[in-house]
Amino acid sequence: MRGPIAPPQVPLSVTRADAFVDLVYDSRDRLERRWPQLAQVDFMVVEVPGFGPDEGPGGVADEETVPLGRVLPAGGGHRDRIVIYRRPVEIRTKSRDERALLVHEVVVEQVAELLGLAPESVDPRYGQE
C-alpha cells in the first residue's frame, strides 16, 4: 500500500529558490532586531534583474554591470522595497555558507542605501565575516 514518505509537516526537499528566500528573510530578521523600521519594508527575491518590479524606464536594464540587489522607493501604492537578485548572487558563490554571507552583505548594503547610512552602521560586522 502506498502512503506518504514523510509526515506532512516535514519537507522532503527545499528548492534552491526557497533556500535562497530563507537566506534573505534570515538577514532581514537579523537586521530588523536592530532597525525596527525595516518591518515597514518589503523584501523581495527576483531571479534576474529586469524581470520583476524593476522593469521599465530607469530600471536595471540600463546598467552595464549586473546588480545583486536594488532599493525601490515607496510610490504607486507600494511601500519601500528591497529586491535581491537570486541568480547573480548564486553565480558568485560556491557553497551555501558563501551564499549566506553574500546575501547578508547585499541585504545590508541595500538597507544602508535605503536608510542613508554606511553599511558598517547598519551591521557592525559588515565586511568582517
Side-chain angles (χ1 to χ4, degrees), residues 13-76:
S13 65
V14 176
T15 66
R16 284 187 355 194
D18 289 341
F20 190 89
V21 169
D22 288 344
L23 291 175
V24 171
Y25 289 165
D26 288 347
S27 289
R28 177 205 57 197
D29 294 346
R30 183 171 151 189
L31 292 175
E32 199 174 296
R33 285 184 223 115
R34 182 177 173 140
W35 302 97
Q37 62 265 44
L38 293 180
Q40 302 305 313
V41 176
D42 292 329
F43 286 76
M44 306 167 64
V45 174
V46 176
E47 290 297 307
V48 293
F51 292 96
D54 56 354
E55 288 185 68
V60 294
D62 300 335
E63 297 180 14
E64 290 183 23
T65 59
V66 178
L68 302 180
R70 181 163 187 219
V71 173
L72 298 172

Side-chain angles (χ1 to χ4, degrees), residues 2-127:
R2 292 186 178 206
I5 295 173
Q9 67 272 17
V10 177
L12 291 176
S13 65
V14 176
T15 66
R16 284 187 355 194
D18 289 341
F20 190 89
V21 169
D22 288 344
L23 291 175
V24 171
Y25 289 165
D26 288 347
S27 289
R28 177 205 57 197
D29 294 346
R30 183 171 151 189
L31 292 175
E32 199 174 296
R33 285 184 223 115
R34 182 177 173 140
W35 302 97
Q37 62 265 44
L38 293 180
Q40 302 305 313
V41 176
D42 292 329
F43 286 76
M44 306 167 64
V45 174
V46 176
E47 290 297 307
V48 293
F51 292 96
D54 56 354
E55 288 185 68
V60 294
D62 300 335
E63 297 180 14
E64 290 183 23
T65 59
V66 178
L68 302 180
R70 181 163 187 219
V71 173
L72 298 172
H78 294 284
R79 303 189 306 179
D80 288 325
R81 294 173 285 172
I82 291 179
V83 180
I84 307 298
Y85 300 112
R86 183 173 77 87
R87 294 296 298 146
V89 170
E90 286 181 336
I91 287 170
R92 288 169 176 78
T93 58
K94 292 183 172 81
S95 69
R96 178 174 162 74
D97 291 340
E98 280 183 22
R99 194 168 303 119
L101 286 173
L102 184 56
V103 164
H104 186 66
E105 283 190 2
V106 173
V107 169
V108 168
E109 290 166 0
Q110 301 311 310
V111 167
E113 183 178 330
L114 179 68
L115 299 177
L117 300 169
E120 296 81 12
S121 299
V122 172
D123 185 355
R125 294 184 292 186
Y126 173 79

